[in-house]
């Protein structure tokens, strides 16, 4: 599929950056990854707020939203700015480096804290069952999946969201 830009825009893009196709595809991939991570982190925060009234773990789910939102806004804006508004004239490389540094500077601590304080660290197997097969949800079994299914859902969502943020 060939882009439907004017010949002048294509000439300028090719003249200033011969690899603009690859960069445009990478920006599109980053936008899709950021959108997926945004949905997953927002979902994890909503489930945590619904089932647990404590503020213990919420900050580790919404903290990664900052680099995700910056990436989600920055990549499409620069893509359309270069192609439509500036008609192929490049943006200064310092802007790209600065924004990507900002995304990584916010993203690395976000991943560290989100993984370090994630709900999946509370997962444990069922240690004790009654003879009839029922599971007592106190003591050793309190954090098991049959007793606390919400933390297993949130933990899986957090793992997936951190993978998307790491790829971003």
């Amino acid at each position: 599929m060939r882009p439907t830009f004017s010949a002048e825009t294509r000439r300028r893009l090719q003249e200033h950056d011969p690899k603009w196709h690859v960069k445009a595809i990478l920006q599109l991939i980053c936008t899709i990854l950021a959108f997926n991570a945004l949905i997953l982190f927002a979902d994890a925060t909503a489930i945590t707020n619904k089932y647990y009234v404590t503020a213990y773990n919420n900050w580790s789910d919404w903290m990664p939203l900052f680099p995700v939102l910056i990436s989600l806004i920055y990549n499409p804006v620069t893509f359309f700015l270069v192609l439509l508004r500036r008609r192929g004239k490049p943006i200064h490389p310092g802007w790209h480096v600065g924004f990507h540094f900002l995304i990584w500077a916010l993203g690395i601590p976000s991943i560290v804290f989100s993984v370090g304080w994630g709900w999946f660290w509370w997962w444990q197997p069922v240690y004790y069952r009654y003879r009839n097969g029922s599971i007592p949800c106190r003591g050793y079994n309190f954090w098991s999946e049959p007793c606390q299914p919400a933390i297993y859902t949130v933990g899986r969502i957090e793992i997936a969201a951190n993978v998307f943020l790491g790829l971003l």
Side-chain angles (χ1 to χ4, degrees):
M1 186 167 128
R2 188 146 184 116
T4 58
F5 309 121
S6 68
E8 180 65 20
T9 301
R10 280 184 293 204
R11 186 190 61 76
R12 283 185 186 173
L13 283 168
Q14 196 65 27
E15 179 182 299
H16 292 295
D17 191 1
K19 296 181 182 180
W20 72 272
H21 289 93
V22 175
K23 291 180 182 179
I25 290 170
L26 287 175
Q27 281 187 322
L28 178 65
I29 290 171
C30 281
T31 302
I32 292 169
L33 290 173
F35 185 70
N36 287 335
L38 174 73
I39 290 170
L40 290 171
F41 278 120
D43 190 33
T45 303
I47 293 172
T48 302
N49 288 338
K50 181 178 179 182
Y51 290 103
Y52 301 100
V53 186
T54 179
Y56 168 70
N57 199 26
N58 287 349
W59 65 272
S60 67
D61 287 336
W62 60 257
M63 184 180 172
L65 291 176
F66 295 119
V68 167
L69 285 172
I70 290 171
S71 177
L72 190 61
I73 293 169
Y74 173 72
N75 284 315
V77 166
T78 56
F79 178 75
F80 288 113
L81 187 67
V82 167
L83 292 181
L84 302 177
R85 195 78 177 136
R86 295 177 55 95
R87 296 196 182 9
K89 288 187 266 181
I91 296 175
H92 193 276
W95 281 101
H96 291 297
V97 171
F99 269 99
H100 288 289
F101 176 74
L102 179 66
I103 291 167
W104 276 99
L106 292 172
I108 290 172
S110 295
I111 291 173
V112 167
F113 287 119
S114 183
V115 169
W117 291 93
W119 280 106
F120 47 85
W121 292 111
W122 295 93
W123 293 356
Q124 70 179 27
V126 174
Y127 289 115
Y128 179 74
R129 290 180 189 266
Y130 291 132
R131 289 183 191 200
N132 64 0
S134 64
I135 299 170
C137 289
R138 60 184 187 285
Y140 292 116
N141 291 336
F142 183 75
W143 294 110
S144 64
E145 188 170 9
C147 299
Q148 299 288 337
I151 67 164
Y152 285 79
T153 302
V154 171
R156 289 181 191 106
I157 292 170
E158 286 175 339
I159 291 170
N162 280 310
V163 167
F164 281 117
L165 180 58
L167 291 173
L168 188 62

